Amino acid sequence: MLAAAVTACAASALTFTALSTGPALAHGTGGDVPSADRVHVDPDEATVIGREHAEEHARTREAVKAVGEYPQTTRTERLKALGASQAKINAEFDPADAGRFREYFQSPDFAAHIAMLPTGKVLLFSFERIETNPQKEPAPTDTIGRENAGRAYLWDPAKGTGPGSFTKVTPPVINMPDGLDQPRPAPFFCAGHSFLPNGMLGVFGGNLGGNGGSGAKLSLVFDPWEEKWYLNQDMAVGRWYPSVVTGADGRQLIMSGQSELGWGTPTAIVERFPALNKPVPVAKTDKPQGWKPELFTSDAPFKRDYPHLFSLRDGKVYGLGRDPEQQWLFDPVAETRKDLAPRPDNTPRNYGSAVPLPAGFKGPDSVLVLGGDRDDPNTYQLVGGKWSKEKARAFGRTQDNTLLMPDATLMTVNGAFDIRDYGNGTYNPNADLKYRQIELRDENGNWRLGPAQRLPRGYHSNAVVLPDGRVMVTGDELQELANDPDITDDMNGSIEIYEPAYLRQGGRPNLGTVFNPSVGYNEKIAVSSSTAADITRAVLLAPTTATHSVNTSQRHLDLRIKSRSGSFLELQAPPSASAAPPGYYMLFLLNEEGVPSTAGWVQLKPASGGQTP
C-alpha cells in the first residue's frame, strides 16, 4: 500500500507541475487550485503519506478534473480558430457589396435579452451563471433560491468597447415566492418585453425556478432616462417565455408563457399594461410605477410559448404561433380573437424570426415568417389574411435574428441547427460554418449569403440596428463561455459589430437638428441637413427589443418629404397610430445610393394619454 502511494505521489507531482505551469484552469471559482480546506482528502491516503501530502494529491485531482471539463486553453484556442476561419471565408466577400464584421469585444452579460434604448444606449440582461462549462446548462432554469437571479447592464457605444463602456443596472432585489426567504435580484430572464410610448421598457414574467422552468409573475419597467428599474404589482399568472406587443393605443398585450406550475402548463390568459383606468405614459417623467396589469377579455391558448405578435396597419394584433394552425387576430378595442388561415408549411416551427415587411408611408400590412425549421429554408408571407410561400434562404436555421435595415432591406444573423445543437450534437459547441454566415434580402425579395460572424450564436442570440446604421450582434451564453478569453474575469459575454455595405458607398448624408422631436400624427417634422439637396428618402425605424428570436417592436416606415429649402427639410409624420404605434423611432435620411445618415430620435405622441400631476 505504501509503495502504491509513493508511486502515485511521483505521478501526481509530475501532473501537478505540468498543470501549474500552464494557463489558468477553469472550474467553479474561475480556475484557481482549490485551497486545502475545500478539497476532499482521502483518509486512507493521509494515513500512509501524511495529511499535507494527501492534500496536494487532492488538489491535483481537482485540477485534472477541471482540465477534463473545459480548460482555458480550449477556450483560447477555439476563439483563435474561429477568428482564423472567419478571416478566411470573409476574404471572399467585398465589404462594399456584402458589408463586413469589424469589431469584436467582451461584454459583462450574456445578453439573452436586448433593447435599443432611445438614449442611444443598449440594455442587456440575462442571469447569473451557475456553470462555466459550456457543455452543461449555465442558466439557473431549474434552480430555486439565491442563485436564481437576474442581472442587467447598459452598453454606451459613445464610450467605446472597453469595460468602462458598460454600467451595471441591477434589477430590484425581491423575495421570490419559493418559500426559501432568500432575496435576490429579480430573475426576469426568459421574460417578454416591449416599449411604452415614453421610451420605457415593460418587462413581464421570468423564472420562478423549479419544475423544468416555472413562470414568475414579475412585472417591471426599465426607465432609460434615469437608468433604473421599477417593480410593479404582479401579473395574475406566472409566465416563462411570454410575448409582449405594444398596440396602436400605446398599451401592451402580454400573452402565453409557462405558468407558475412549471413546464408544460402554458397559460391562455391575456393581460394588458397599463390597465384602462391608468393613463398611457408619454412623457419621460411619467412613472408607471406600482401599477398592476389587468385581465384582457379574450384568451390566447397558444400551445407553444413565445408566439410572434405584431400590431399592423389595421390596428389589430396578429398572433402568429409556432404551430401552423395557431394563427390568430386580436382586436385590442373589442377584446376579441378570431382565427387566421393556417400557415401553409403544416409543421411546427421552433424559435425562428418574423418581420413586419416595409410598405411605404402607411405602415406594414404583412408579416414574413422565416427560420425556426432546420429543414425548411422557405419564407412565408401573411397579407390580407392569406399566406404565400416566398423566396427561400440558402438553408434552414433556427434561433436566427432577422432585422429591418434603414434602407428597407432585411438581414439575417445568427442561427443554429436546433436548441443547444450547433450541428454536431447537443451541448457540443463546435458549429457548422454555415450558421455563422449572415443572409441579406434585397428590395426584390432575393436572398444571398454574406460574410461570417466570429462566433456561432444560436439559442439566446440577439441583434439590433444601432443609430449609426451598424448592427450589434451578441448573445448565446454557451458559445460565449466556450470562447471566453479569460473565464476568471467578469466579462462573460461578447459583442461583435457588423458594418453594412451601405456604409461604404461614399459620403453619408447629414442629419443635423430635429426641431420638433416629439410630434403628433400627420404633423410636420422639421429637420436641418447640410446635405439636404441630396436627400431622396426619409424613414422611421423602430428601435427593437428582442429575445429568443422574437422581436415584436420592429417597424419601418417611409416619411413624405413635403418641402426643402436650403439646409432644411419638412417631413410628414405617419398618418395614425395604426400605421406606427406611439413611441420613439430612429429617423434616418438616405441619399440616392441608399446610404443612411446617423439617426436622430423622434417620438410619436398618442392622441391622448399621459399622467396628470
Side-chain angles (χ1 to χ4, degrees):
M1 181 176 180
L2 180 58
V6 172
T7 303
C9 174
S12 179
L14 289 172
T15 303
F16 187 76
T17 299
L19 290 171
S20 62
T21 57
L25 300 171
H27 178 66
T29 60
D32 295 334
V33 175
S35 59
D37 60 349
R38 295 182 56 197
V39 297
H40 173 71
V41 176
D42 187 316
D44 293 333
E45 188 176 34
T47 300
V48 176
I49 64 176
R51 175 77 187 185
E52 184 176 352
H53 210 163
E55 287 174 353
E56 181 179 325
H57 285 195
R59 294 191 195 99
T60 302
R61 285 191 292 270
E62 289 291 331
V64 171
K65 179 183 177 183
V67 170
E69 289 203 350
Y70 218 85
Q72 180 62 55
T73 50
T74 300
R75 303 172 204 268
T76 303
E77 290 305 311
R78 267 186 53 88
L79 184 58
K80 180 180 177 181
L82 288 174
S85 61
Q86 180 191 32
K88 181 178 180 180
I89 190 172
N90 287 355
E92 303 173 7
F93 292 94
D94 180 359
D97 177 62
R100 64 175 178 172
F101 282 90
R102 183 71 182 276
E103 294 181 88
Y104 180 89
F105 53 98
Q106 294 306 113
S107 160
D109 193 67
F110 297 130
H113 303 260
I114 194 169
M116 180 70 244
L117 301 174
T119 59
K121 299 180 182 181
V122 183
L123 177 67
L124 315 171
F125 59 105
S126 62
F127 48 83
E128 295 288 355
R129 71 185 186 192
I130 60 171
E131 175 62 61
T132 61
N133 186 344
Q135 295 168 319
K136 298 180 180 180
E137 176 56 64
T141 298
D142 213 19
T143 300
I144 297 176
R146 189 171 286 111
E147 285 188 307
N148 179 22
R151 69 181 184 190
Y153 290 84
L154 289 172
W155 175 51
D156 186 354
K159 293 184 177 180
T161 60
S165 62
F166 295 93
T167 302
K168 194 169 188 177
V169 283
T170 302
V173 174
I174 63 174
N175 199 348
M176 295 296 291
D178 54 18
L180 296 182
D181 192 24
Q182 295 180 352
R184 86 302 297 260
F188 50 16
F189 56 95
C190 297
H193 30 89
S194 71
F195 288 105
L196 289 162
N198 65 349
M200 297 182 185
L201 185 73
V203 177
F204 304 92
N207 182 36
L208 178 60
N211 296 327
S214 300
K217 297 181 179 181
L218 292 169
S219 172
L220 303 103
V221 169
F222 182 75
D223 181 348
W225 315 111
E226 295 191 3
E227 298 185 350
K228 67 179 184 181
W229 294 90
Y230 304 133
L231 179 64
N232 281 313
Q233 295 184 52
D234 282 351
M235 295 184 292
V237 64
R239 298 182 189 270
W240 169 248
Y241 289 42
S243 294
V244 184
V245 66
T246 302
D249 61 355
R251 301 180 192 274
Q252 299 167 306
L253 289 183
I254 311 154
M255 302 186 195
S256 190
Q258 309 297 319
S259 80
E260 62 271 27
L261 299 178
W263 189 256
T265 61
T267 179
I269 295 172
V270 179
E271 297 183 68
R272 174 170 47 206
F273 185 87
L276 292 179
N277 64 356
K278 296 286 187 182
V280 174
V282 177
K284 298 176 183 179
T285 53
D286 293 344
K287 310 293 185 185
Q289 187 175 7
W291 295 1
K292 183 178 178 61
E294 71 175 358
L295 295 179
F296 188 80
T297 300
S298 176
D299 65 350
F302 290 105
K303 290 188 295 186
R304 301 172 191 260
D305 37 55
Y306 276 137
H308 293 290
L309 305 178
F310 297 103
S311 178
L312 296 187
R313 182 190 296 179
D314 56 7
K316 305 296 192 299
V317 169
Y318 289 72
L320 309 182
R322 290 195 278 155
D323 289 281
E325 75 280 3
Q326 295 203 309
Q327 315 295 313
W328 291 315
L329 181 67
F330 297 89
D331 187 326
V333 177
E335 301 190 29
T336 57
R337 169 177 61 88
K338 71 175 185 179
D339 292 339
L340 292 169
R343 197 176 58 237
D345 55 352
N346 293 319
T347 184
R349 303 186 81 83
N350 210 330
Y351 302 113
S353 51
V355 177
L357 290 175
F361 307 107
K362 296 181 180 180
D365 60 357
S366 71
V367 174
L368 190 70
V369 175
L370 60 169
D373 186 344
R374 67 189 183 213
D375 299 318
D376 185 3
N378 294 300
T379 64
Y380 300 87
Q381 185 176 2
L382 176 69
V383 57
K386 297 181 179 180
W387 290 94
S388 60
K389 184 162 70 172
E390 299 300 312
K391 295 176 182 177
R393 294 188 293 186
F395 52 87
R397 62 171 100 187
T398 69
Q399 277 71 243
D400 55 305
N401 304 107
T402 300
L403 295 172
L404 286 166
M405 305 300 286
D407 60 356
T409 61
L410 300 184
M411 171 192 174
T412 291
V413 66
N414 301 323
F417 183 73
D418 205 343
I419 296 178
R420 303 302 200 204
D421 189 335
Y422 305 91
N424 288 289
T426 304
Y427 286 92
N428 181 342
N430 297 311
D432 291 347
L433 176 62
K434 68 180 184 180
Y435 295 116
R436 293 162 57 198
Q437 283 190 261
I438 66 170
E439 290 194 60
L440 303 169
R441 181 183 186 265
D442 63 22
E443 61 276 8
N444 297 316
N446 299 308
W447 293 92
R448 62 189 174 105
L449 285 172
Q453 59 202 83
R454 179 74 55 86
L455 295 195
R457 297 181 191 267
Y459 195 52
H460 291 169
S461 63
N462 277 309
V464 295
V465 177
L466 299 172
D468 62 9
R470 300 179 301 162
V471 176
M472 171 189 177
V473 182
T474 186
D476 190 338
E477 64 274 8
L478 293 189
Q479 291 294 338
E480 290 169 318
L481 289 173
N483 296 280
D484 194 327
D486 184 359
I487 196 64
T488 66
D489 66 17
D490 293 327
M491 303 295 276
N492 305 144
S494 63
I495 292 170
E496 41 199 309
I497 302 296
Y498 169 76
E499 295 180 349
Y502 54 53
L503 295 182
R504 302 180 68 85
Q505 306 300 319
R508 299 187 70 169
N510 166 260
L511 173 59
T513 302
V514 181
F515 293 102
N516 51 334
S518 184
V519 300
Y521 291 97
N522 224 29
E523 293 182 359
K524 301 300 186 292
I525 304 171
V527 303
S528 65
S529 170
S530 61
T531 59
D534 298 327
I535 302 303
T536 59
R537 192 176 188 183
V539 303
L540 291 182
L541 189 70
T544 61
T545 176
T547 186
H548 292 76
S549 299
V550 174
N551 189 332
T552 69
S553 301
Q554 291 204 84
R555 207 175 202 87
H556 182 287
L557 290 102
D558 281 272
L559 300 181
R560 300 182 191 277
I561 301 176
K562 299 298 292 184
S563 67
R564 71 182 79 213
S565 176
S567 59
F568 298 95
L569 296 171
E570 190 178 61
L571 314 173
Q572 187 170 356
S576 68
S578 295
Y584 281 81
Y585 291 78
M586 293 183 286
L587 169 62
F588 289 95
L589 301 180
L590 292 85
N591 62 19
E592 188 175 10
E593 287 75 32
V595 183
S597 66
T598 295
W601 289 93
V602 172
Q603 184 196 28
L604 299 178
K605 297 184 296 185
S608 62
Q611 294 174 237
T612 56

